[in-house]
Amino acid sequence: MKESLVNSSKHNVFVNLKNISVSDNFWKPFMERIRTVVIPYQWEALNDRIPNADPSYCMRNFKVAAQMTHKHIDYGVPKDIGHGGMVFQDSDLAKWIESAAYSLVWHPDPSLEKIIDEAIDIVCNAQQDDGYLNTYYIIKGLEKRFTNLRDNHELYCFGHFLEAAAAYYEATGKRKLFDALVRYTDCIDRHIGPEEGKLHGYPGHEIAEMALVRLYEIIKDEKHIKMAKYFIDQRGQKPLYFEEETQKNENGFYWKDSHFQYQYYQAGKPVREQHSAEGHAVRAVYLYSGMADIARLTGDADLLKSCNDLWDNIVNRQMYITGAIGQAEYGESFSYDYDLPNDTIYGETCASIGLAFFARRMASIAPKGNYGDVLEKTLFNGIISGMSLDGKSFFYVNPLEAFPEASLKDRRMRHVKIPRQKWFACACCPPNLARIITSLASYIHSIGKYTLYTHLYISSETKCNLDGTDISLKIETQYPWEEQIDIIFSINERMRFKYAFRIPAWCKKYNISLNGDEASYKLVDGFAVIDREWLAGDKISIFFEMPVSFIRSNPHVRENIGKVAVMRGPVVYCAEEEDNGNELFRLHTGEPESVSIKHEKNLLEGVTTISFTGKREKEWSEDVLYQIEEAATEDRKITLVPYYTWANRKIGEMMVWMNK
Amino acid sequence: MKESLVNSSKHNVFVNLKNISVSDNFWKPFMERIRTVVIPYQWEALNDRIPNADPSYCMRNFKVAAQMTHKHIDYGVPKDIGHGGMVFQDSDLAKWIESAAYSLVWHPDPSLEKIIDEAIDIVCNAQQDDGYLNTYYIIKGLEKRFTNLRDNHELYCFGHFLEAAAAYYEATGKRKLFDALVRYTDCIDRHIGPEEGKLHGYPGHEIAEMALVRLYEIIKDEKHIKMAKYFIDQRGQKPLYFEEETQKNENGFYWKDSHFQYQYYQAGKPVREQHSAEGHAVRAVYLYSGMADIARLTGDADLLKSCNDLWDNIVNRQMYITGAIGQAEYGESFSYDYDLPNDTIYGETCASIGLAFFARRMASIAPKGNYGDVLEKTLFNGIISGMSLDGKSFFYVNPLEAFPEASLKDRRMRHVKIPRQKWFACACCPPNLARIITSLASYIHSIGKYTLYTHLYISSETKCNLDGTDISLKIETQYPWEEQIDIIFSINERMRFKYAFRIPAWCKKYNISLNGDEASYKLVDGFAVIDREWLAGDKISIFFEMPVSFIRSNPHVRENIGKVAVMRGPVVYCAEEEDNGNELFRLHTGEPESVSIKHEKNLLEGVTTISFTGKREKEWSEDVLYQIEEAATEDRKITLVPYYTWANRKIGEMMVWMNK
């Protein structure tokens, strides 16, 4: 009998989307905006029906591929029109199907489902007899497939489609796309793997690792763990597959003059020797997510050590206060410890989303408050900053300081586009936003042994099963604007279990009551844990005090010396030109006086603003650059808005870290 | 009778190198280092005799061209070896001849002169019958000449050779190279100009403008003013010559996606419409120098207005405290007003040298202390920082903040090479340094009507003629380390004239005595002017008080808010890791205590260092990136060295602007 790869005694499983109904006043409007604005808009984009935008070619590519595969099929696309758009264009449809599938879970919509089914028909018509399914190579020539795993995103598109197929199957029970992807998985397994005669390769852009684990979680065939594990284990091993592939196929190597070399792809060394985040940030956190999945399933201690180290490195050395990651535009990459420039940052929306994936998977291994803290930080700040409040435009790059003149005239900030853009040639961020927001409910709770964990505070009703007993719980809150959170249980029978809810790291004072009395709890790894026999109607009321906090950076961070950022609860604030005039860098918080908060229902879809009296440096009377002079300041009312809402009014400057 | 272009009533002529003997304890060692180390080293480089360095190909190109031009000549270079190195490689020899020529003025050296004469023989053997003299096109095909004035540096090499020829003629009286260049000038005049049938072009990289004026100053043929004026007047006129040339010759346009477009070459609009410094910084200040020359000679008020505006824009909006200019690595260019990043700066050594050229020419139009102030600032800081103290290695880029790890891992700072490099593929900076330092004496005094001006305080003896009378004056000083300057006149007969000497802008308190008594003087445009009948032996003693000054930037400068730079006299100071440990950004000057200076003869070839007690931010006890925390500091002795000496000891961090 074959030994199982799986050692799953410690699993801590997140409660499925299907079992949670979100009613949150903060998040539900985001979800609805994705459902009603972004998903329909993206469908138009995928079909090249957006006026004045570059075509996506995505659906056209599938139609062309289908016509080439089945001579009788005619979608009315010219036969010789070829492949359009990026090499990874297929993934756009995959992400769209995935997010649309999640939306169907909480908002059934037969007409949307019909559109998806028709798209799936086209996709499946493009599939080859052997299961292969990538329009770039179907159109450009199948003899070239698997010749540039490093750069041509073949396994990336595969991974995204696997995620889409799993999501749609889970949402609807429909198997057509799912079965097609199982066949495609088998096709890849026949071509890539450790056995002689197969290519000893792995994805250039990771995601297939976690997608394969997801497939395993559904059909429980360990060969899918084996594939994911091979992609992870083989990565960075000598002789380096990417080097061999480059030489064999004369692919050229874009990063040959770079400092990161193959670490751009996290492939410069075996993953178990990787302890600090390097290279392309999105690839990195997708890989780390897959590593965490495999470490969880297999109990591989070395792999887990790398995951822990990589997590710590990101969170304690390379993460912005907004949860943005990827400091450098060059290679859209991590740079080095404590290097956190606010203006030339890349901070791709997708990278923060990938960090949320990683956080969720780390929490599945060992629930610690830190994972939920980072998840919450990215969600309330660096992720949703990626989308305008009307859902119609998007940031790829999420700076912590923006100067419109610099974006125009300073090449170092050319990637910092102000305002948000309608769409991108490489349209990865909008659909990625859509998939995380539509599946947000699945980040709230997890179930471990005898324990129910709450990671995020989102008004919702959840039904779950803990060791055989059905439990319902309801969260009611006006988080992040108000301090109270009520959690109400309904359980059919008395049951003893631990309820563990995260005490946010930002919160220094809180009060927890149970059924009106002071609650008794233990603090374990960032969670308050109440261990008792629960009854229907049990109600926990939590007050997380949310003072306006003036936060410092670790003094190793060169860019933030002498500066403070303002937070309230999980929300990072920023100064915008609209409220504070230009040259925001002349503002100083000083010892802020008369700090006040105000909830403004009609501002920016409803936000709590912060005001206080600070200082502003006065102009010099002499028109010179340098002189002996004490800085002269005058009092100035400073008004801050939540960071995620910036650039939703007039184009102007923005600044998170203000001079003290 | 043709009207003269020249309206020279207001000329203020700098005293020629030949008439000044420098004995300065600060500058003479630099001059000697250039003469004894740099000039011999460069000659080896030009002849490809530096081990482990990329070959220059410069002399080889001239030999190949000479062999191709005269079949009987054989320098032993393979016939078909082609052109090597950059398209502008000829200019390296020109700059070398120019600086060697200057050195011959103050240090005759027959063996060096012989080497130059032999090099000139080779150069002249490469000249074509029609006077043309550029090895790139002689070797690659003369039919291609004048087809890419924009990018192929043809007129740039011409300009540099004209400067070299003039310098060598002035130094030695030898005419061979000079006459060859007059013929080359005529050749260019036959091909480029306003007349029908000629190319209506101008240099892509400026310098020919000022070189032609220099030629005019020697042989007084106004056609050379006309040529220079045409290059200036035609620049940026519509239809744009560079556009026409691009289309006609299918040259491609490297800057087509840039924000500056043809302003990279200062050719996006006519020069009289240019009022802020834009584009490639070296090109810009070379152009502005030529414009100043022509404005001075012709009295063109519009041109002068542009020169004044461009000067003010650079000095009051775009110049670093070290005199470095060119903020952006992209295009080695100016960026925009008040944008002065200290770490990603370009600050090319050549650009500061060009700024000195511009300053000297502006002072020739109207002597103002400001020109000498900037000249002094660049010389003591941003220019000589370009060379190591042993004369053996060079900076192209002169940052005001350096972090070795960032230079390796941050693409934005990849151009900031630490330490100085032995040589460059594009070796423009070392020979440019050589030419300004060897000709430094010619920046000290100028003669206007009835007035002798002193712009720089350098120990020296000068003989000059003021309105027919021979005057000698001697400067004795330990500037910039000590505060006293003595100036002693010797004149054969009593003579009344004005002696005007610059009161440095950095100096807030000074004392001037004449023959031991308090002097009576007027302050005019930054000069102290003594108007009297002078006698042999008259002695002026000046004390410029040199306290340690903590300087602020204009609050419009985002990068320097809350920071101070330290100066003493004209010298800008910096903190180095060697004296202050790493993470220099954690230092704060606070209210500096116990500020002291110390002259250290054995440190860095003899410098005055500055020490005081400041603060340093303490490490956090918690290993996190962000928290609510007051900055905790501890007292720390901070030691500063002159900026120009940085990176002459161990590789490490450096910082000019320190947190207050």
Side-chain angles (χ1 to χ4, degrees):
Chain A
M1 193 185 133
K2 234 171 63 178
E3 209 184 330
S4 172
L5 287 166
V6 178
N7 165 12
S8 58
S9 61
K10 291 180 190 163
H11 289 192
N12 174 44
V13 180
F14 272 81
V15 176
N16 194 290
L17 197 57
K18 289 193 155 181
N19 301 325
I20 308 178
S21 164
V22 170
S23 54
D24 196 75
N25 280 339
F26 186 91
W27 287 109
K28 194 65 193 282
F30 275 94
M31 291 162 62
E32 283 296 325
R33 219 168 288 144
I34 298 285
R35 189 183 70 77
T36 61
V37 180
V38 179
I39 289 175
Y41 183 89
Q42 287 185 12
W43 179 244
E44 296 306 297
L46 294 173
N47 285 281
D48 308 337
R49 293 191 293 248
I50 305 287
N52 307 318
D54 289 339
S56 149
Y57 303 110
C58 182
M59 285 312 297
R60 197 192 81 179
N61 289 336
F62 279 102
K63 290 176 183 169
V64 171
Q67 289 178 172
M68 289 171 70
T69 306
H70 300 284
K71 299 299 166 200
H72 67 278
I73 289 180
D74 182 3
Y75 288 117
V77 181
K79 293 212 159 19
D80 300 327
I81 203 166
H83 182 272
M86 301 282 186
V87 65
F88 46 78
Q89 214 67 11
D90 288 3
S91 64
D92 282 4
L93 175 63
K95 287 192 224 172
W96 180 80
I97 292 175
E98 186 183 343
S99 55
Y102 297 141
S103 81
L104 291 176
V105 173
W106 47 268
H107 188 100
D109 179 344
S111 66
L112 175 60
E113 203 169 317
K114 185 159 172 282
I115 291 170
I116 301 171
D117 285 336
E118 286 167 7
I120 288 171
D121 288 342
I122 298 169
V123 169
C124 291
N125 282 336
Q127 190 168 31
Q128 304 300 294
D129 283 345
D130 69 351
Y132 188 78
L133 183 47
N134 179 299
T135 69
Y136 181 81
Y137 286 107
I138 294 171
I139 296 170
K140 294 222 167 193
L142 283 163
E143 72 285 358
K144 280 287 195 186
R145 69 185 184 173
F146 305 132
T147 58
N148 192 346
L149 296 184
R150 195 190 60 193
D151 291 324
N152 282 359
H153 290 70
E154 223 165 347
L155 297 176
Y156 170 79
C157 290
F158 159 70
H160 264 303
F161 253 105
L162 205 44
E163 294 270 1
Y168 195 62
Y169 169 65
E170 291 187 319
T172 63
K174 292 181 181 170
R175 297 196 64 108
K176 182 167 184 175
L177 185 64
F178 188 75
D179 290 342
L181 264 291
V182 171
R183 286 198 303 280
Y184 189 17
T185 304
D186 289 341
C187 167
I188 285 167
D189 193 29
R190 284 192 302 276
H191 285 88
I192 303 172
E195 296 83 1
E196 210 179 325
K198 292 189 185 178
L199 299 170
H200 305 319
Y202 37 86
H205 192 314
E206 303 90 332
I207 190 178
E209 299 82 355
M210 57 177 151
L212 284 162
V213 171
R214 185 165 184 182
L215 179 57
Y216 163 76
E217 305 277 14
I218 296 171
I219 57 176
K220 303 285 182 195
D221 186 338
E222 286 198 11
K223 79 175 174 192
H224 298 132
I225 299 183
K226 212 180 122 207
M227 282 178 75
K229 191 169 167 338
Y230 179 72
F231 286 165
I232 286 167
D233 293 348
Q234 172 65 1
R235 194 167 203 89
Q237 299 290 350
K238 299 276 181 269
L240 199 66
Y241 179 77
F242 287 162
E243 257 176 354
E244 296 186 317
E245 184 186 64
T246 300
Q247 283 162 19
K248 198 167 119 194
N249 304 316
E250 298 176 0
N251 291 333
F253 182 36
Y254 186 83
W255 305 105
K256 69 177 186 313
D257 294 327
S258 71
H259 62 275
F260 31 59
Q261 296 290 318
Y262 286 97
Q263 274 299 88
Y264 169 80
Y265 311 88
Q266 300 77 46
K269 51 194 169 190
V271 299
R272 286 168 189 77
E273 294 170 21
Q274 301 197 27
H275 304 284
S276 66
E278 292 175 29
H280 187 269
V282 176
R283 292 176 206 241
V285 284
Y286 280 20
L287 169 65
Y288 308 155
S289 298
M291 285 163 62
D293 275 338
I294 292 295
R296 169 175 58 85
L297 287 172
T298 63
D300 181 329
D302 290 341
L303 194 58
L304 180 59
K305 166 119 184 41
S306 278
C307 290
N308 283 330
D309 289 350
L310 291 162
W311 175 267
D312 288 346
N313 177 261
I314 293 174
V315 169
N316 297 326
R317 300 282 187 277
Q318 301 202 69
M319 182 183 72
Y320 290 87
I321 195 169
T322 57
I325 53 170
Q327 303 99 313
E329 185 267 343
Y330 180 72
E332 306 178 318
S333 67
F334 286 104
S335 59
Y336 56 92
D337 290 1
Y338 299 115
D339 176 47
L340 291 158
N342 294 304
D343 51 0
T344 62
I345 175 181
Y346 205 68
E348 186 178 338
T349 308
C350 287
S352 286
I353 292 168
L355 180 58
F357 297 161
F358 188 24
R360 186 174 183 267
R361 282 159 177 82
M362 291 303 285
S364 267
I365 299 174
K368 289 181 189 161
N370 181 237
Y371 304 126
D373 287 338
V374 170
L375 191 54
E376 179 180 87
K377 182 184 271 303
T378 60
L379 282 167
F380 280 106
N381 303 290
I383 289 178
I384 55 173
S385 61
M387 184 169 77
S388 65
L389 293 173
D390 62 7
K392 291 182 177 167
S393 58
F394 301 89
F395 277 141
Y396 209 98
V397 166
N398 294 276
L400 277 75
E401 254 180 60
F403 299 94
E405 187 170 16
S407 288
L408 293 175
K409 296 184 183 171
D410 185 338
R411 193 77 171 191
R412 298 174 310 153
M413 284 172 240
R414 203 173 61 140
H415 57 287
V416 181
K417 304 285 186 206
I418 319 170
R420 291 175 183 81
Q421 310 290 298
K422 290 284 167 208
W423 202 249
F424 308 95
C426 171
C428 58
C429 296
N432 235 350
L433 255 168
R435 47 188 205 126
I436 196 161
I437 300 294
T438 50
S439 63
L440 186 63
S442 65
Y443 291 76
I444 299 176
H445 307 292
S446 67
I447 294 175
K449 226 170 186 181
Y450 312 116
T451 312
L452 172 63
Y453 292 93
T454 294
H455 303 268
L456 295 179
Y457 297 104
I458 295 178
S459 294
S460 55
E461 285 192 63
T462 302
K463 290 181 200 310
C464 57
N465 188 288
L466 186 65
D467 296 307
T469 304
D470 287 332
I471 299 172
S472 296
L473 78 163
K474 192 154 129 182
I475 300 180
E476 287 178 356
T477 183
Q478 298 300 326
Y479 202 81
W481 311 127
E482 295 184 15
E483 299 172 321
Q484 184 168 355
I485 298 160
D486 290 333
I487 300 170
I488 305 114
F489 284 89
S490 58
I491 311 169
N492 290 337
E493 44 196 317
R494 280 170 177 270
M495 183 190 173
R496 180 162 189 149
F497 65 89
K498 293 179 186 171
Y499 179 56
F501 47 100
R502 184 174 57 90
I503 306 296
W506 56 258
C507 184
K508 300 305 168 204
K509 261 177 104 176
Y510 49 88
N511 182 280
I512 301 166
S513 64
L514 176 63
N515 300 327
D517 299 323
E518 203 174 312
S520 131
Y521 59 87
K522 281 189 186 162
L523 285 177
V524 182
D525 284 337
F527 288 89
V529 183
I530 301 179
D531 183 358
R532 72 188 296 265
E533 204 162 66
W534 295 89
L535 296 172
D538 276 348
K539 177 174 170 182
I540 299 169
S541 289
I542 313 168
F543 286 86
F544 288 135
E545 275 195 26
M546 291 185 176
V548 174
S549 301
F550 293 79
I551 311 285
R552 292 260 184 185
S553 276
N554 191 303
H556 294 305
V557 179
R558 173 164 77 96
E559 304 279 350
N560 293 344
I561 288 280
K563 295 181 181 175
V564 292
V566 176
M567 291 184 72
R568 180 174 175 270
V571 178
V572 174
Y573 279 75
C574 69
E576 279 201 288
E577 185 173 338
E578 171 116 3
D579 304 307
N580 301 286
N582 71 349
E583 299 200 322
L584 294 172
F585 50 82
R586 283 166 58 196
L587 298 177
H588 293 257
T589 62
E591 298 303 330
E593 285 173 31
S594 334
V595 180
S596 68
I597 63 168
K598 185 176 171 193
H599 194 74
E600 305 193 44
K601 270 181 87 165
N602 297 318
L603 181 67
L604 297 162
E605 307 287 324
V607 291
T608 297
T609 59
I610 295 173
S611 300
F612 55 88
T613 302
K615 310 266 182 205
R616 185 168 195 259
E617 291 207 14
K618 282 190 194 170
E619 304 251 340
W620 283 1
S621 51
E622 278 195 77
D623 182 21
V624 295
L625 269 175
Y626 309 107
Q627 64 183 359
I628 303 166
E629 176 106 359
E630 276 311 299
T633 59
E634 55 199 344
D635 281 357
R636 178 74 166 229
K637 186 184 173 191
I638 296 175
T639 299
L640 308 180
V641 295
Y643 169 74
Y644 75 84
T645 67
W646 88 276
N648 274 286
R649 294 175 292 171
K650 277 192 216 128
I651 301 301
E653 299 177 9
M654 182 278 293
M655 189 164 235
V656 169
W657 288 97
M658 286 186 291
N659 293 298
K660 170 81 180 175
Chain B
M1 190 183 134
K2 232 171 63 178
E3 209 182 329
S4 172
L5 287 165
V6 178
N7 164 12
S8 59
S9 61
K10 291 181 190 162
H11 288 192
N12 174 44
V13 181
F14 272 80
V15 177
N16 193 291
L17 196 57
K18 289 192 155 181
N19 300 325
I20 308 179
S21 164
V22 170
S23 55
D24 196 75
N25 279 340
F26 186 90
W27 286 109
K28 194 65 195 281
F30 274 94
M31 292 163 61
E32 283 296 327
R33 219 167 288 144
I34 299 285
R35 188 182 70 77
T36 61
V37 180
V38 179
I39 290 175
Y41 183 88
Q42 287 186 11
W43 178 244
E44 296 306 297
L46 294 173
N47 285 280
D48 308 338
R49 293 192 292 250
I50 305 286
N52 307 318
D54 289 338
S56 150
Y57 304 109
C58 182
M59 285 310 298
R60 197 191 82 179
N61 290 336
F62 279 102
K63 290 176 184 171
V64 171
Q67 290 179 171
M68 289 172 69
T69 306
H70 301 285
K71 299 298 167 198
H72 67 279
I73 289 179
D74 182 3
Y75 289 117
V77 181
K79 293 212 159 18
D80 300 329
I81 202 166
H83 182 273
M86 300 283 185
V87 65
F88 47 77
Q89 213 68 11
D90 288 4
S91 64
D92 281 4
L93 175 63
K95 287 193 225 172
W96 180 79
I97 292 175
E98 185 183 343
S99 56
Y102 296 141
S103 81
L104 291 175
V105 173
W106 48 268
H107 189 101
D109 180 344
S111 67
L112 175 61
E113 203 168 318
K114 186 160 172 282
I115 292 170
I116 302 171
D117 285 336
E118 286 167 7
I120 288 172
D121 288 342
I122 298 169
V123 169
C124 291
N125 282 336
Q127 189 169 31
Q128 304 299 293
D129 284 346
D130 69 350
Y132 187 78
L133 183 48
N134 180 299
T135 69
Y136 182 80
Y137 285 107
I138 293 171
I139 296 171
K140 294 223 169 193
L142 284 162
E143 72 286 357
K144 280 286 194 188
R145 69 184 184 175
F146 305 132
T147 58
N148 192 347
L149 297 184
R150 195 190 61 194
D151 292 325
N152 281 0
H153 289 70
E154 225 165 346
L155 297 176
Y156 170 79
C157 291
F158 158 71
H160 264 303
F161 253 104
L162 206 44
E163 293 270 1
Y168 195 62
Y169 169 65
E170 290 188 319
T172 63
K174 292 180 181 169
R175 298 196 63 108
K176 183 168 182 174
L177 185 64
F178 187 75
D179 290 342
L181 263 293
V182 171
R183 285 198 303 280
Y184 188 17
T185 305
D186 289 342
C187 167
I188 285 167
D189 193 28
R190 284 192 301 276
H191 286 89
I192 303 171
E195 296 85 0
E196 211 178 322
K198 292 189 185 178
L199 298 170
H200 305 319
Y202 37 86
H205 192 313
E206 304 91 331
I207 189 178
E209 300 81 355
M210 56 176 153
L212 284 162
V213 170
R214 185 166 186 182
L215 180 58
Y216 163 77
E217 305 276 15
I218 296 170
I219 57 176
K220 303 287 183 196
D221 185 339
E222 285 199 12
K223 79 174 174 191
H224 299 133
I225 298 184
K226 213 180 122 208
M227 283 177 75
K229 191 169 166 340
Y230 179 72
F231 285 165
I232 287 167
D233 292 348
Q234 172 64 1
R235 193 167 203 90
Q237 299 290 351
K238 298 276 182 269
L240 198 68
Y241 179 77
F242 286 162
E243 258 175 354
E244 297 186 317
E245 185 186 63
T246 300
Q247 284 160 18
K248 200 167 116 191
N249 304 315
E250 297 175 0
N251 290 334
F253 182 36
Y254 186 83
W255 305 105
K256 69 177 187 310
D257 294 328
S258 71
H259 62 275
F260 30 59
Q261 297 290 316
Y262 286 97
Q263 274 298 87
Y264 170 81
Y265 311 89
Q266 300 77 45
K269 51 194 169 191
V271 299
R272 287 169 188 77
E273 294 170 21
Q274 301 197 26
H275 304 283
S276 66
E278 291 176 28
H280 187 269
V282 176
R283 294 175 205 241
V285 285
Y286 281 19
L287 169 66
Y288 307 155
S289 296
M291 286 164 61
D293 275 339
I294 292 295
R296 168 175 59 85
L297 287 171
T298 63
D300 180 328
D302 289 341
L303 194 58
L304 180 59
K305 166 117 183 42
S306 278
C307 290
N308 284 331
D309 289 350
L310 290 163
W311 175 266
D312 288 344
N313 177 261
I314 293 174
V315 169
N316 297 327
R317 301 281 188 276
Q318 300 202 70
M319 182 183 71
Y320 290 87
I321 195 169
T322 57
I325 54 170
Q327 303 98 313
E329 186 268 343
Y330 180 73
E332 307 178 316
S333 66
F334 287 104
S335 60
Y336 56 94
D337 291 1
Y338 299 114
D339 176 47
L340 291 159
N342 294 305
D343 52 359
T344 62
I345 175 182
Y346 206 67
E348 186 178 339
T349 308
C350 288
S352 286
I353 291 168
L355 181 58
F357 297 162
F358 187 25
R360 185 174 184 267
R361 282 158 177 81
M362 291 302 286
S364 267
I365 299 174
K368 288 180 188 162
N370 181 237
Y371 304 125
D373 287 338
V374 171
L375 191 53
E376 180 178 87
K377 181 184 272 302
T378 60
L379 282 168
F380 279 106
N381 303 291
I383 290 179
I384 54 174
S385 61
M387 185 168 77
S388 65
L389 292 173
D390 62 8
K392 291 182 179 167
S393 57
F394 301 89
F395 278 140
Y396 209 98
V397 165
N398 294 276
L400 276 75
E401 253 181 60
F403 299 94
E405 186 170 17
S407 288
L408 293 176
K409 296 184 184 171
D410 185 339
R411 194 76 171 192
R412 298 175 309 154
M413 285 172 239
R414 204 173 60 139
H415 57 288
V416 181
K417 303 284 185 207
I418 318 169
R420 291 174 182 81
Q421 310 289 297
K422 290 284 167 208
W423 202 250
F424 308 96
C426 171
C428 57
C429 296
N432 236 349
L433 254 167
R435 35 186 216 135
I436 196 160
I437 300 294
T438 50
S439 62
L440 186 62
S442 65
Y443 290 76
I444 299 175
H445 306 291
S446 68
I447 294 175
K449 228 172 185 181
Y450 313 116
T451 311
L452 173 63
Y453 293 92
T454 294
H455 304 268
L456 294 179
Y457 297 104
I458 295 178
S459 294
S460 55
E461 283 191 64
T462 301
K463 290 180 200 311
C464 57
N465 189 289
L466 186 65
D467 297 308
T469 303
D470 287 331
I471 298 173
S472 296
L473 79 162
K474 192 155 128 182
I475 299 179
E476 289 178 354
T477 183
Q478 298 299 325
Y479 202 82
W481 310 127
E482 295 184 14
E483 299 172 322
Q484 185 169 352
I485 298 160
D486 290 333
I487 299 169
I488 305 116
F489 283 90
S490 57
I491 311 169
N492 289 337
E493 44 193 317
R494 279 171 178 270
M495 183 189 176
R496 180 160 189 151
F497 64 90
K498 293 179 186 171
Y499 179 55
F501 48 98
R502 183 175 56 91
I503 305 296
W506 55 258
C507 184
K508 299 305 167 202
K509 262 177 104 177
Y510 49 89
N511 182 279
I512 301 166
S513 65
L514 175 63
N515 299 327
D517 298 325
E518 203 176 312
S520 132
Y521 59 89
K522 281 189 187 161
L523 285 177
V524 182
D525 284 338
F527 288 90
V529 184
I530 301 180
D531 184 357
R532 73 189 295 264
E533 205 163 64
W534 296 88
L535 296 172
D538 275 348
K539 176 174 170 181
I540 298 170
S541 288
I542 313 168
F543 285 86
F544 288 134
E545 275 195 27
M546 290 185 178
V548 174
S549 300
F550 292 80
I551 310 285
R552 291 260 184 186
S553 276
N554 192 303
H556 294 305
V557 180
R558 173 164 77 96
E559 303 278 351
N560 294 343
I561 288 280
K563 294 182 180 175
V564 292
V566 176
M567 291 184 73
R568 180 173 175 270
V571 178
V572 175
Y573 280 75
C574 69
E576 279 200 288
E577 184 173 338
E578 171 117 5
D579 305 307
N580 301 285
N582 71 351
E583 299 200 322
L584 294 173
F585 49 83
R586 284 165 58 195
L587 298 177
H588 292 257
T589 63
E591 298 304 330
E593 285 173 31
S594 334
V595 180
S596 68
I597 63 168
K598 184 177 172 193
H599 194 74
E600 305 193 44
K601 270 179 89 165
N602 298 318
L603 181 69
L604 299 163
E605 307 287 322
V607 291
T608 297
T609 59
I610 294 174
S611 299
F612 55 88
T613 303
K615 311 266 182 204
R616 186 168 194 257
E617 292 207 14
K618 283 189 194 172
E619 305 251 340
W620 282 1
S621 52
E622 277 195 78
D623 183 23
V624 295
L625 270 174
Y626 308 107
Q627 65 184 358
I628 302 166
E629 176 107 356
E630 276 312 297
T633 60
E634 54 200 345
D635 280 359
R636 178 76 167 227
K637 187 184 175 193
I638 296 175
T639 299
L640 308 180
V641 294
Y643 169 74
Y644 75 85
T645 68
W646 88 275
N648 274 285
R649 295 176 291 170
K650 278 192 217 126
I651 301 301
E653 299 178 10
M654 183 278 293
M655 187 166 238
V656 169
W657 288 97
M658 284 185 293
N659 293 297
K660 170 80 181 176

